[in-house]
Amino acid sequence: MGGVSTAERDRAPKQDRSRATRQRLLEAAVACLAEHGWAGSTVAVVAERAGVSRGAAQHHFPTREDLFTAAVEYVAEQRSTALRELFPQGPADRHAVVSALVDLFTGPLFRAALHLWVAASNEDQLRTRVTELEARVGRDTHRIAVELLGADETRPGVRETVQGLLDMARGLGLANLLTDDTARRERVVAQWAALLEQALR
């Protein structure tokens, strides 16, 4: 008699569990990195936070570098998706877009990425991986910004203007690590939105 074998029936839930375990590990790694920095974020600490064994963690991510670069990439992809979903119709009000882009550079993802950058500056093996990751994330964020701002990069200076916006957003994210910079950030966002209206029209 035909049909699905027991082994095939068991495989799908096992794959689902494996995906869920991987996701818990990635989310726990980002949280640990944001809260404790590189020195305090070991595979054992992350595994405990995720509620899985150290062996299970190392099955998914053989090295600490594998775990943390994958974690920051995972959340960066989620944030890019969330940014697109804020403006499903495409190009939007520039003030809203600037505000949303600045928000990408505040919060746990940026804090975790910053700890990873600092660690990578001192560890050669990690530096190559983080540099490649940041280049990819940076290109994706730039592309999304161009789309949402309705920017025409064939015009002189437009590419640099969009890149300047992203660099400014990163700077605001750094300032926000030490103090709540909300009030100043709102004024800077308003000014950048006005500048972009002039530069991109």
Side-chain angles (χ1 to χ4, degrees), residues 160-178:
E160 291 74 17
T161 299
V162 174
Q163 191 57 53
L165 164 63
L166 296 175
D167 291 342
M168 177 276 299
R170 189 177 293 111
L172 289 177
L174 281 169
N176 198 62
L177 288 173
L178 296 176

Side-chain angles (χ1 to χ4, degrees), residues 49-131:
R49 185 176 188 131
V52 304
S53 70
R54 184 172 177 169
Q58 289 180 314
H59 168 74
H60 287 277
F61 303 102
T63 70
R64 186 181 183 204
E65 290 79 8
D66 288 333
L67 173 60
F68 286 103
T69 51
V72 175
E73 183 171 24
Y74 164 76
V75 181
E77 286 169 358
Q78 283 201 320
R79 294 300 292 270
S80 292
T81 300
L83 182 62
R84 287 185 187 281
E85 288 172 353
L86 283 175
F87 307 101
Q89 307 305 318
D93 169 74
R94 284 178 176 146
H95 186 281
V97 173
V98 172
S99 185
L101 285 167
V102 166
D103 285 347
L104 275 179
F105 291 95
T106 57
L109 169 64
F110 183 73
R111 190 178 292 269
L114 186 62
H115 284 295
L116 199 60
W117 298 342
V118 171
S121 71
N122 298 314
E123 299 190 25
D124 290 341
Q125 184 181 357
L126 192 58
R127 183 184 301 130
T128 302
R129 299 181 66 169
V130 172
T131 301

Side-chain angles (χ1 to χ4, degrees), residues 37-48:
W38 177 255
S41 298
T42 63
V43 173
V45 167
V46 172
E48 183 178 348

